[in-house]
Amino acid sequence: MCGICCSVTLSIERDRDDLLHKNLLHNLKRRGPNSSQQVLKTGTDYHCLFSGHVLHLRGLLTPQPIEDERGNVFLWNGEIFSGIDVAVEENDTQIMFNHLSSFNNESEIMSLFSSVHGPWAFIYYQASSHSVWFGRDYFGRRSLLWHFSNTGNGFCLASVGTQAAEIVNQWQEVPACGIFRIDLKSSALSKHVVLKLYPWKCISRENIIEEVVRSLNLISDSLPPFVSIEINEARLCLNTPVAPLNKRLTQGSFDSHSHSSSIPATIENLQIFLRDEHMKKQVHQLIHVLSEAVKRRVLCLTRTESQYVNDEFSKTSSKKANIAILFSGGIDSMVIASLADRHIPFDEPIDLLNVAFMTKPTRHTALTKKSSKPKKHLQTPSEENIKGLATPTDNVQDQNFNVPDRLTGRAGLKELKSLNPLRIWNFVEVNVTLEELQRMRQHRINQLVHPLDTVLDDSIGCAVWFASRGIGYITKEDEMQLYESSAKVVLTGIGADEQLAGYSRHRVRFNTHGLEGLNKELEMELDRISSRNLGRDDRVIGDHGKEARFPFLDENVVSFLNSLSILEKADLTLPRGIGEKLILRLAALELGLTASTVLPKRAMQFGSKIAKMENNNEKASEKCSRLQVLSE
């Protein structure tokens, strides 16, 4: 994880103090706490200031930006999980730059980025052509924003924006539709920036150019007059890293309609589906590809022996977690946790981050509230982080945080403990009061959610920010103790609902337009996931100096799920708790999970109760007034 930025001035004039805005620099440094530096490149007609801030996770610490003897400069915020060889001791930033520096033509650049499996965003200055290349991976799993100056004399690319009111509304997410190139020399001379697009090309789509043209028109609408966008002259494309969606409507060997829509959502009824050999085979293939995806994401980081101490008891009890999971106890997070347990060293704890927003106290709660006795701290978070943190006092007050996700989370913890009682499972209860929500939204979260601005973005952005911060309480020796997660990698289940018909809108679509309509809805879900979810979540989680990783969006997992027909993934004639994400529920059953396999989908904003904190009458799609950014 890194904070990357490139600020370009298309003029020969430059102020001596031409530095990045202090708020932007601060936001970038929070993403990359292990190394920060800047590089200035000056052409005859332009100036480029590159700023890199590194969160060190694997290989040798490689400060960014990196520069070679020919003047090329590279910024990389990504992870190569497969597709290009990276040895354990190597750093993928250096590997990518070595390839780019050796290339002589654009086709080689296309081939390189087509090969990378994993999340990425990058900025590359190619000195010989006076060009800046940049872009995001196919799903947009890493944030990259752009804004163009009002005067038309420059632009900025960055992982995260700034809260300065005079420019915040100009930040927009770089579309994850391919990679872009800007010729800085010609842009400076013509006073017009031309964005050359090298789009993703799906093998099955013959009308790729027509589709790209439609995308270009949508992008152009949000650009200022002195910026235009066009497809590169050579019509070069990136190869889409996943298989196309299977839209066949045949039922195959498994007769979905032999099951009544009125059957109860029970484990026994779910087990019936595993009697079908074809279905069971597909379930085991899903377990295999998803397990490999989780394995890559929990092992691609440096583990040091310094976490150990001498005696055997302390060795286990004092070991720090490297991996955390956004954990509701629902089917997605339970499957990820059980698979992570397979691959993370047995004596390493796993942090399960469970967020709850304080419900309104009842009269009974107010009357019976008791003072608390001092608690032993496992770790002492910084004073800034614990200011306003809700402190559990007794069982009565604790009920104010007994939101649905807290209850299912505790139940899920019991299941995981039964699967592996030797593992230390740190169930981190993150309790958020209204006062702290409002304070941290204004202080940090609003500028991270931007440029997204809906009520839904506010709810999910705040919930994910508090959860991934990892400051809360764990139960140890029957006592609640203050705890701060040390994990730099945060696994999240996003992508499961989008591919396996997990949302309520999927049932609505199925009921009104049948399987064909449902297929179109699922195709749209993946097409828009970069702009709807992933950039925001990357900015929010990265603000804590942590990296979000998305096993369900692993290229091999998506390709496998895309290869299945819709009825092999979900059956929405069946009730909630079985029909949606059917194949994942069956996989969970095969993994040894129990009650969590038939939990119906519950959106994070409702499970954590953040949606009920302030204004109950809002619609999720409305613009959120609470996300307004104030200048300092």
Side-chain angles (χ1 to χ4, degrees), residues 8 50 62 95 104 127 143 211 230 287 291 311 325 353 363 365 369 439 491 512 546 566 571 577 580 596 615:
V8 176
F50 300 91
T62 304
I95 295 293
N104 297 311
S143 171
E211 289 184 21
E230 56 189 51
I287 291 173
S291 179
D311 67 277
I325 301 169
L353 309 178
R363 183 172 180 272
T365 301
K369 181 178 176 181
R439 182 172 60 88
L491 303 181
T512 54
K546 300 180 181 184
I566 182 60
D571 185 349
E580 75 279 15
S596 59
N615 187 343

Side-chain angles (χ1 to χ4, degrees), residues 265-538:
T266 64
I267 297 172
E268 292 74 22
N269 285 329
L270 194 59
Q271 287 172 330
I272 295 172
F273 293 84
L274 289 171
R275 296 175 187 171
D276 181 86
E277 287 302 318
H278 174 75
M279 192 66 169
K280 190 164 186 174
K281 178 182 177 182
Q282 305 290 29
V283 167
H284 281 266
Q285 286 184 314
L286 173 59
I287 291 173
H288 173 71
V289 295
L290 190 55
S291 179
E292 288 299 305
V294 171
K295 179 181 179 180
R296 283 189 285 269
R297 283 156 180 80
V298 301
L299 295 185
C300 279
L301 72 161
T302 301
R303 286 176 164 85
T304 61
E305 292 300 313
S306 62
Q307 291 178 310
Y308 293 99
V309 293
N310 293 328
D311 67 277
E312 196 64 30
F313 175 77
S314 297
K315 178 178 178 178
T316 302
S317 64
S318 65
K319 192 103 166 23
K320 293 182 178 180
N322 286 300
I323 303 295
I325 301 169
L326 295 185
F327 187 77
S328 66
I331 186 69
D332 309 340
S333 58
M334 286 293 291
V335 168
I336 289 176
S338 62
L339 292 175
D341 180 50
R342 289 184 169 189
H343 304 295
I344 294 173
F346 74 94
D347 57 349
E348 183 178 301
I350 297 176
D351 288 347
L352 307 174
L353 309 178
N354 183 275
V355 66
F357 291 82
M358 190 174 188
T359 57
K360 294 179 181 179
T362 62
R363 183 172 180 272
H364 175 73
T365 301
L367 290 174
T368 57
K369 181 178 176 181
K370 302 175 183 177
S371 61
S372 62
K373 62 180 181 179
K375 306 295 182 184
K376 296 178 182 178
H377 291 187
L378 294 183
Q379 299 179 50
T380 305
S382 68
E383 183 177 341
E384 177 189 355
N385 285 341
I386 64 173
K387 182 181 179 183
L389 188 66
T391 306
T393 56
D394 57 25
N395 291 334
V396 175
Q397 186 181 2
D398 191 49
Q399 291 175 7
N400 294 330
F401 296 101
N402 278 344
V403 301
D405 278 0
R406 178 59 49 81
L407 300 180
T408 54
R410 287 172 181 158
L413 174 66
K414 290 181 179 179
E415 285 191 47
L416 294 174
K417 284 183 174 180
S418 67
L419 283 179
N420 187 354
L422 299 180
R423 169 82 65 188
I424 295 177
W425 300 94
N426 290 324
F427 183 70
V428 186
E429 299 189 16
V430 179
N431 298 333
V432 186
T433 63
L434 177 60
E435 181 273 335
E436 190 184 18
L437 168 63
Q438 293 174 339
R439 182 172 60 88
M440 297 313 298
R441 178 197 282 123
Q442 188 60 47
H443 180 60
R444 294 285 333 139
I445 303 170
N446 54 11
Q447 59 193 297
L448 303 170
V449 172
H450 274 293
L452 305 188
D453 59 4
T454 69
V455 171
L456 183 66
D457 293 315
D458 173 52
S459 295
I460 296 180
C462 289
V464 171
W465 189 88
F466 279 106
S468 58
R469 184 174 67 165
I471 296 176
Y473 296 87
I474 64 172
T475 301
K476 187 171 184 181
E477 299 174 355
D478 296 324
E479 185 178 42
M480 295 294 285
Q481 299 184 359
L482 187 61
Y483 181 81
E484 181 174 11
S485 174
S486 60
K488 289 184 177 181
V489 170
V490 179
L491 303 181
T492 168
I494 194 168
D497 291 304
E498 287 78 3
Q499 297 179 79
L500 300 175
Y503 293 121
S504 58
R505 61 177 176 268
H506 294 140
R507 284 189 179 271
V508 173
R509 183 74 168 175
F510 171 71
N511 291 334
T512 54
H513 294 90
L515 289 175
E516 185 175 356
L518 180 58
N519 263 330
K520 290 180 179 179
E521 189 79 8
L522 295 182
E523 184 175 43
M524 179 189 69
E525 294 281 11
L526 275 187
D527 285 345
R528 71 180 184 180
I529 197 169
S530 62
S531 59
R532 189 175 176 93
N533 302 94
L534 294 175
R536 176 200 65 214
D537 289 357
D538 176 73

Side-chain angles (χ1 to χ4, degrees), residues 5-11 18 20 24 46-50 123-125 130-134 144-158 170-171 174 180-185 187-188 192-195 223-224 226-227:
C5 178
C6 173
S7 179
V8 176
T9 303
L10 298 171
S11 169
D18 185 13
L20 295 181
L24 177 56
Y46 61 84
H47 305 280
C48 298
L49 179 63
F50 300 91
I123 302 170
Y124 173 53
Y125 172 73
H130 300 279
S131 296
V132 169
W133 295 78
F134 60 96
L144 191 63
L145 308 180
W146 61 26
H147 90 71
F148 300 89
S149 67
N150 291 326
T151 58
N153 69 340
F155 61 90
C156 188
L157 305 166
Q170 296 177 16
W171 289 101
V174 173
F180 298 86
R181 180 177 64 85
I182 298 176
D183 185 323
L184 300 180
K185 195 173 184 65
S187 295
H192 188 90
V193 176
V194 178
L195 299 165
L223 297 174
F226 67 92
V227 182

